[in-house]
């Protein structure tokens, strides 16, 4: 799955480059974009939902700086770790050079009880769909 | 009421100064800080509350740029406009020079029906408290 | 000029809707997108440039809340106010209903001296281009 | 070294809790606060400086959610990895319970050539100072 994005002024800081934490937010946009593309209503998904998908771990590595106006491409893949946990991997490219990579790990919980619950059907289908894309190399 | 704050790297952009919209967020921090100081539980206030206080208007004027590391002071005052609407005014100072000023207008609503309702008692008291400070010049 | 954008989780807050200041950032994205579309290198434009375009005033009015997953459209127009000052007006639509409107006022300065200077040629052309669009109703 | 901070509405998202990437920004605030406390001019440090300290890696783990209004404390330690690389570790506490922990790795570079250079004296002193604090258990 691929997501394209212009780097905006708000993504940068006074050091002249993208502020480190903002690139993780941009990776999360790619994930949301993919859910929306798959037909999942992300409003229902993230707000007042019987299911929440909090991030338990995130990490990012930077190989080259990114600047305002850069047009980046994020390729990401998803992997189920169990019936209630998945991991996303993001590779961030600028003109075909990988400039950063990131990972986020998510658990599926009941947001009221804050206990783990199995993925809802829609998420299971989305995870399956992403795996298929990966196998076929799209 | 007064709020002090260091300007952090995340507040700035590649032009080297504070990103315009971030200064409005910093003004909102001053408002939240004041509610918390007054003993209002802002978690209850902003989440799953029978009352919401959405902003209907915001404006900001910049007189001088602000840089990473600047220690700013925000003086703000509140004014009821009706039983369900109030306005906050913020003056942002750097070393006693006013570098920006801002206003936000808030309405009190029932977040489910999204209809206006009168201020809850706690907010009425907070508005009264801020007016008193102003009269006595604190 | 028109800009489309999905509302992401990072744009929202615990009240469940778009955080007020973030919608101003999204309006600024529309402006940057338009510069980039016109062929202006926004990296050069916002960083280490002989010209800076700081915002001196911004304002926004909200008519309806926006939620995560909403697909918004921003229509914006530009107007020169003098040889070194321009104003942008943004109308934010959700499914053809105007949910907010905003304005930003920018001055053209020499970022070292922090004195006003006339617009560079590229910006003059962009302002001219936007005026033409408006006249022809595009 | 310790840094206290109220969680503001802008730190949260529509899921009702702190947005994951924002907690990394708050950790970076702790680092900047510490530099400022030590007498390092962070404006000079992050803007137009002969030295830049870009982050090459960042990671964060979340154990419990954080909400608007939570008063957190961040304890952090620094460790030189070489003459041009250091690592910061952050433990985020809410009422004496560790709710998250994070790491950032920084390299010291010449921002024009984007090549590694040894730490400037001020940074070396700050790293030494933080090590002493740690040894003495402050």
């Amino acid at each position: 799955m691929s997501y394209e994005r212009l780097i905006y002024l708000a993504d940068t800081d006074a050091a002249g480059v993208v502020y480190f934490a903002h690139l993780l937010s941009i990776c999360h946009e790619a994930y949301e974009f993919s859910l929306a593309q798959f037909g999942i209503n992300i409003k229902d998904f993230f707000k007042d939902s019987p299911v929440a998908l909090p991030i338990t771990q995130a990490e990012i590595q930077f190989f080259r700086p990114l600047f305002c106006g850069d047009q980046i491409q994020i390729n990401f893949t998803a992997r189920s770790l169990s019936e209630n946990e998945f991991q996303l991997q993001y590779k961030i490219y600028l003109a075909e050079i990988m400039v950063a990579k990131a990972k986020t790990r998510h658990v599926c919980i009941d947001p009221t009880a804050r206990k783990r619950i199995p993925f809802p059907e829609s998420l299971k289908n989305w995870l399956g769909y992403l795996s298929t894309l990966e196998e076929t190399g799209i």
Side-chain angles (χ1 to χ4, degrees), chain A:
Chain A
M1 193 85 203
S2 179
Y3 175 71
E4 299 229 353
R5 168 73 148 71
L6 194 62
I7 297 295
Y8 294 107
L9 191 60
D11 302 318
T12 64
D13 64 34
V17 297
V18 166
Y19 183 73
F20 80 111
H22 293 346
L23 196 54
L24 278 169
S25 305
I26 297 171
C27 287
H28 202 276
E29 287 181 13
Y31 155 51
E32 295 175 63
F33 179 77
S34 164
L35 291 171
Q37 287 290 99
F38 191 67
I40 290 176
N41 184 327
I42 61 177
K43 177 182 168 181
D44 294 350
F45 219 71
F46 288 114
K47 191 180 170 286
D48 305 329
S49 167
V51 163
L53 296 167
I55 288 173
T56 54
Q57 281 184 45
E59 58 181 83
I60 187 159
Q61 277 178 278
F62 299 88
F63 311 122
R64 298 200 179 187
L66 284 170
F67 298 92
C68 186
D70 281 343
Q71 178 77 23
I72 61 168
Q73 188 187 319
I74 301 183
N75 291 346
F76 85 98
T77 55
R79 197 158 59 92
S80 293
L81 302 176
S82 74
E83 57 152 25
N84 55 40
E85 196 169 7
F86 65 94
Q87 184 174 276
L88 302 178
Q89 278 191 283
Y90 314 83
K91 292 179 178 168
I92 300 100
Y93 291 91
L94 178 68
E96 295 180 26
I97 293 163
M98 186 164 64
V99 294
K101 65 179 187 186
K103 267 185 220 171
T104 53
R105 190 181 274 227
H106 306 243
V107 287
C108 186
I109 63 166
D110 169 335
T112 311
R114 300 206 79 90
K115 295 249 173 279
R116 292 190 182 205
I117 53 171
F119 299 137
E121 211 55 36
S122 59
L123 195 77
K124 230 186 287 182
N125 293 339
W126 174 76
L127 286 165
Y129 165 70
L130 283 183
S131 308
T132 320
L133 282 187
E134 210 173 335
E135 274 158 29
T136 55
I138 297 167

